[in-house]
Amino acid sequence: LMKANQIFVNLPVKNIEKTKEFWSKLGFAFNEQISDEKAVCVILNETASVMFLTEEYFETFTSRPVPKGDTTQAIVAIGLDTREEVDQVVNTALANGATQHEEPEDHGWMYQNSFWDINGLAWNVVFADMSQIPT
């Protein structure tokens, strides 16, 4: 059975500096070794990172058209340790230029809140207690 040891999600953005500032305010660190004026690497945890690339730089990796913020290509979901952290991250995002994506949903075993970031990208922020999943 194949298992990945790391994941890098690559997403196009209009402005690297504003993107870095936004994610810094949410409390995330950066991998400066692979960040520059064309890309910023946001560290989600030891094995998962997001590479935000300028639209122009992103286009060098694909022959397909790059969405310009008015379409949804993906919804990225990130898991946090508590419901409070979920709301803290979403509320901080909203206070820094993001907009509400969907209203929070509480399923008992799983709680999620979501936002459109400053680049128009969709983020679901989730807390899940897998031991409480209904059978």
Side-chain angles (χ1 to χ4, degrees), residues 78-124:
I78 58 174
L80 299 178
D81 290 332
T82 67
R83 294 168 190 258
E84 293 75 24
E85 285 181 346
V86 168
D87 285 336
Q88 176 188 340
V89 166
V90 172
N91 290 336
T92 302
L94 297 176
N96 285 283
T99 55
Q100 189 76 44
H101 176 211
E102 296 174 320
E103 291 303 311
E105 294 180 26
D106 191 340
H107 300 281
W109 66 276
M110 183 182 83
Y111 175 75
Q112 84 172 27
N113 203 341
S114 58
F115 62 92
W116 297 102
D117 74 10
I118 61 169
N119 293 293
L121 300 167
W123 294 88
N124 284 353

Side-chain angles (χ1 to χ4, degrees), residues 2 8 12 26 31 34 64 114 130:
M2 182 67 69
F8 289 87
L26 297 187
N31 181 336
I34 53 176
R64 293 182 175 178
S114 58
M130 298 305 203

